[in-house]
Amino acid sequence: MNTIREYAAVSSIPRRILFHLNRKGIIQDPLCSDDLIGLQLLERIWGNREVLRAQLCRLAMKTRLSLIRTAAISTKWERYAYSRYRNHEPGKKLPLQQVIEEIETTFSFRLDDQHIKRIYRIRNQAQVANYREKNR
């Protein structure tokens, strides 16, 4: 296991996180022995509720709730779409085509049919969250 890709294939830590650690300069690619030792420790505490609780308690309640709501949304453009639908003014419409154009302009890539279907699901998720919050 010399590379991040090889390590990710057998690790409980997602590949996306390993590449994030590499971009931040925390680990190298290819992995050295110190990186492997650190990653083995990280694997042991990955997802541990006590560690997560200690990390989350440092955040404001509003930030925590926002993080929890968007935890399953993995890409920046998807989180952008979710926040646009979540934060738009009640009573006003936010057309899907407008959000698509904003994403294409902001993130500099063309959305295909699969991406647009994903935006429909994200819009629905945000609308359900807004409806539940309104009725509380």
Side-chain angles (χ1 to χ4, degrees):
M1 287 185 286
N2 292 340
T3 68
I4 290 175
R5 288 186 193 280
E6 292 170 347
Y7 188 82
V10 296
S11 174
S12 61
I13 303 170
R15 184 176 67 171
R16 179 175 57 92
I17 300 302
L18 294 171
F19 280 116
H20 173 76
L21 294 174
N22 178 246
R23 280 191 307 276
K24 291 287 188 180
I26 297 170
I27 61 174
Q28 302 169 10
D29 192 13
L31 298 168
C32 67
S33 60
D34 289 342
D35 294 336
L36 291 172
I37 291 169
L39 288 172
Q40 288 171 353
L41 171 65
L42 185 58
E43 276 185 348
R44 291 216 246 78
I45 63 168
W46 188 259
N48 182 292
R49 287 179 179 259
E50 289 302 314
V51 175
L52 290 172
R53 187 174 287 119
Q55 290 174 328
L56 289 174
C57 77
R58 297 174 64 196
L59 302 175
M61 179 63 79
K62 186 176 180 180
T63 307
R64 275 184 257 175
L65 292 173
S66 174
L67 180 63
I68 290 167
R69 272 191 224 104
T70 61
I73 303 173
S74 59
T75 62
K76 285 183 182 181
W77 70 265
E78 290 173 328
R79 287 191 298 269
Y80 176 84
Y82 181 83
S83 67
R84 285 291 285 132
Y85 282 110
R86 189 82 166 95
N87 297 326
H88 84 279
E89 292 181 41
K92 288 193 174 182
K93 292 195 178 231
L94 180 58
L96 183 72
Q97 190 58 41
Q98 180 182 340
V99 174
I100 290 171
E101 290 171 4
E102 289 175 5
I103 290 170
E104 289 178 343
T105 303
T106 305
F107 296 98
S108 302
F109 78 97
R110 207 91 181 113
L111 295 175
D112 60 20
D113 291 339
Q114 187 178 14
H115 292 129
I116 293 170
K117 286 179 186 176
R118 179 70 179 133
I119 293 175
Y120 275 112
R121 279 182 284 200
I122 289 169
R123 181 181 67 178
N124 185 42
Q125 183 181 356
Q127 288 173 340
V128 168
N130 285 339
Y131 178 78
R132 287 181 180 163
E133 189 174 280
K134 184 180 87 173
N135 288 337
R136 281 188 183 169

